[in-house]
Amino acid sequence: LTGGSYSKGVERRRALSKALYFGSRASDDPLNQINVDSDVYILVGLGGGSGSGIFLDLAKRIDEQADYNKLFLIGVLPHLNQRRATVANAHAALSELEYLTTSDQNPFNNMLLFKEREGDDQDEFDEAIVQAMMAHQNLDEDQILPLNPNTDGGEGVPYAPFTLVVPQTLRYNVADVDET
């Protein structure tokens, strides 16, 4: 990092991100002021160092201190042709999530994963994420699959259930549909 500036993130160094997060808690903590009576979504890129390094610590802190209904993760996975460190960060973040889920320590009620594809139009990808969040928010309670891991042979699954979302917006010509 040039001159100690973090203006471009921590350059895929998850441990540095965690250290900066805990260092920032030494000053006036804005999380002490969070008090919402709705769902909370954490949107994070899982391949970089900044977001993938702190999202779990931030989620645990929100879970401990904030008044909210449900906590959801929207994670963006890098495409496989990204740098090895980027893919490794995503793997580490998913491994942590799986461990927390199977040990019944996961603060998230549901986890949505988006997969970046090489050559995706960034504006369209961003719009698809917003549309998916809105659609998810409008689901009825019984339509959201609970995280129900099973580590003792009973009901559930012995791994973390992620919901994979295809980041694509389909558009239809309403006039043609009406005419048909």
Side-chain angles (χ1 to χ4, degrees), residues 79 81-82 116-125:
H79 58 79
N81 293 334
Q82 289 276 19
E116 265 188 320
R117 294 178 304 204
E118 194 168 18
D120 276 350
D121 177 83
Q122 191 62 48
D123 289 338
E124 185 177 321
F125 186 81

Side-chain angles (χ1 to χ4, degrees), residues 55-72:
F55 81 100
L56 281 172
D57 298 311
L58 181 62
K60 288 179 194 176
R61 184 113 158 95
I62 289 171
D63 191 42
E64 293 167 358
Q65 295 207 255
D67 183 22
Y68 67 94
N69 288 337
K70 294 191 182 226
L71 183 60
F72 298 106

Side-chain angles (χ1 to χ4, degrees), residues 14 42-49 51-53 55 72-80 82 86-91 93-94 97 111-118 120-122 124-130 132-133 162-167:
R14 295 177 76 237
I42 293 180
L43 172 60
V44 63
L46 296 176
S52 72
F55 81 100
F72 298 106
L73 170 67
I74 300 210
V76 178
L77 297 169
H79 58 79
L80 293 178
Q82 289 276 19
T86 303
V87 175
N89 279 344
H91 182 268
L94 292 176
L97 278 171
M111 300 175 291
L112 307 171
L113 300 179
F114 287 79
K115 178 77 171 109
E116 265 188 320
R117 294 178 304 204
E118 194 168 18
D120 276 350
D121 177 83
Q122 191 62 48
E124 185 177 321
F125 186 81
D126 293 346
E127 181 182 337
I129 289 177
V130 170
M133 285 174 65
F162 301 107
T163 302
L164 295 175
V165 182
V166 177

Side-chain angles (χ1 to χ4, degrees), residues 2-146:
T2 328
S5 169
Y6 301 109
S7 63
K8 294 186 179 186
V10 295
E11 297 183 2
R12 288 169 236 352
R13 294 184 287 187
R14 295 177 76 237
L16 179 57
S17 177
K18 287 182 181 292
L20 288 171
Y21 170 74
F22 285 104
S24 72
R25 290 184 55 195
S27 61
D28 188 28
D29 190 354
L31 283 180
N32 292 333
Q33 302 164 13
I34 292 178
N35 190 12
V36 294
D37 189 25
S38 63
D39 296 340
V40 175
Y41 286 83
I42 293 180
L43 172 60
V44 63
L46 296 176
S50 301
S52 72
I54 68 166
F55 81 100
L56 281 172
D57 298 311
L58 181 62
K60 288 179 194 176
R61 184 113 158 95
I62 289 171
D63 191 42
E64 293 167 358
Q65 295 207 255
D67 183 22
Y68 67 94
N69 288 337
K70 294 191 182 226
L71 183 60
F72 298 106
L73 170 67
I74 300 210
V76 178
L77 297 169
H79 58 79
L80 293 178
N81 293 334
Q82 289 276 19
R83 293 175 28 188
R84 291 180 74 170
T86 303
V87 175
N89 279 344
H91 182 268
L94 292 176
S95 295
E96 284 183 83
L97 278 171
E98 182 145 20
Y99 170 77
L100 290 175
T101 302
T102 56
S103 63
D104 202 27
Q105 300 175 58
N106 191 339
F108 296 106
N109 294 87
N110 197 262
M111 300 175 291
L112 307 171
L113 300 179
F114 287 79
K115 178 77 171 109
E116 265 188 320
R117 294 178 304 204
E118 194 168 18
D120 276 350
D121 177 83
Q122 191 62 48
D123 289 338
E124 185 177 321
F125 186 81
D126 293 346
E127 181 182 337
I129 289 177
V130 170
Q131 296 291 341
M133 285 174 65
M134 291 171 51
H136 187 267
Q137 183 62 38
N138 288 318
L139 291 173
D140 289 332
E141 183 76 26
D142 59 340
Q143 292 174 311
I144 298 175
L145 298 174

